[in-house]
Amino acid sequence: MLLSDSYVEVLRQYYDDYSYLLDGIPSDYIEYVMAANVGSSISVLVQWIKNNKRESPEDMAEIVMHQLLSNYNRLI
């Protein structure tokens, strides 16, 4: 839980900086959107570890960002 709580704070800061990404999403949903993003991002990172970290951290950052944007695009 500690990892996901910390990650929620990172996402909260990201979304504060890029609040336009949440335009059109009802404010009641934002908590759930962030929880979904945390869960899916952690799953991506767990899979990376299972794959013996074949990709670089920079590649993984790009993959996670694509995944977050994909999640966002499904909501709008």
Side-chain angles (χ1 to χ4, degrees):
M1 227 24 162
L2 185 59
L3 177 61
S4 64
D5 290 343
S6 297
Y7 194 66
V8 165
E9 287 307 311
V10 169
L11 282 180
R12 224 182 276 278
Q13 182 178 357
Y14 175 80
Y15 285 130
D16 284 348
D17 294 344
Y18 299 96
S19 60
Y20 66 89
L21 292 174
L22 299 175
D23 287 350
I25 298 174
S27 60
D28 295 350
Y29 293 6
I30 291 175
E31 178 181 351
Y32 299 105
V33 169
M34 293 207 316
N37 283 337
V38 167
S40 60
S41 296
I42 289 173
S43 293
V44 168
L45 295 175
V46 166
Q47 188 61 44
W48 178 56
I49 292 167
K50 286 180 179 179
N51 289 341
N52 296 315
K53 302 185 218 173
R54 289 187 306 228
E55 296 78 12
S56 71
E58 294 79 14
D59 287 342
M60 290 310 300
E62 188 172 330
I63 289 167
V64 169
M65 287 306 298
H66 283 292
Q67 171 257 320
L68 290 173
L69 290 173
S70 174
N71 287 351
Y72 167 74
N73 287 332
R74 279 188 242 140
L75 290 170
I76 57 172

